[in-house]
Amino acid sequence: VAHAVGVYAIVDGEAAGVPLVEARRLELTRVASAITRVLTKVDKIVPALEGVVFTGPASQEEGGADMRVITLYDGGAMDRSPGGLASSALLAVIDAMGLADPSRPFVVEGPRGTTMTVRIQGRAEVDGAAAIVPEISADVWSTGESTFWADR
């Protein structure tokens, strides 16, 4: 479990037995719900669980990513991108394991192949625990525009 504004459960997708592809969303949602139920019983922090981040190897086609993620939120909503908070939480866990290389960016691939880059900009301590200060960058595109009117 990692904190990045919200609390995220970081789960190895291969160990959970679920492929990290959008077509398996229903199965991922079932596993995420089961994980949330178990964590809620054993950890008092987990009722504030923001999402479950499934991790796995980056796709061969995309190249430069270090890891692929699919983040599921309460109710089964799936993030189409790697997600800034989820990617930051993931890098914090990798850093705590001693596997992060602070000299280079960590590139995270989302379910649609888009990537996000996270760097360790600094270090801090939060409530007595070691923490990272992440720097996030990504390319984004506007996909539409909406106007809403309220009639009073």
Side-chain angles (χ1 to χ4, degrees):
V1 176
H3 299 256
V5 178
V7 178
Y8 290 85
I10 310 294
V11 178
D12 180 337
E14 290 178 337
V18 185
L20 298 187
V21 293
E22 282 187 83
R24 302 295 284 273
R25 180 179 180 171
L26 183 58
E27 193 175 347
L28 286 162
T29 301
R30 286 185 188 132
V31 173
S33 294
I35 290 167
T36 300
R37 280 193 306 276
V38 169
L39 288 176
T40 301
K41 290 179 182 177
V42 298
D43 192 333
K44 293 178 182 177
I45 290 176
V46 175
L49 191 67
E50 183 76 21
V52 176
V53 181
F54 290 95
T55 64
S59 71
Q60 297 296 328
E61 300 165 9
E62 296 301 320
D66 295 297
M67 189 170 279
R68 181 176 179 84
V69 300
I70 291 184
T71 303
L72 286 149
Y73 301 98
D74 190 28
M78 183 178 74
D79 203 330
R80 294 174 293 174
S81 75
L85 294 176
S87 294
S88 297
L90 178 59
L91 182 55
V93 169
I94 290 169
D95 183 62
M97 294 169 67
L99 300 174
D101 180 355
S103 69
R104 72 173 204 78
F106 182 71
V107 181
V108 184
E109 175 188 277
R112 298 199 172 167
T114 57
T115 58
M116 183 169 287
T117 301
V118 187
R119 292 180 182 275
I120 298 174
Q121 184 183 36
R123 298 191 179 278
E125 189 174 301
V126 178
D127 295 331
I132 64 166
V133 178
E135 175 185 286
I136 304 165
S137 62
D139 291 329
V140 296
W141 297 268
S142 178
T143 58
E145 184 177 316
S146 298
T147 303
F148 297 93
W149 298 89
D151 189 17
R152 294 181 193 219

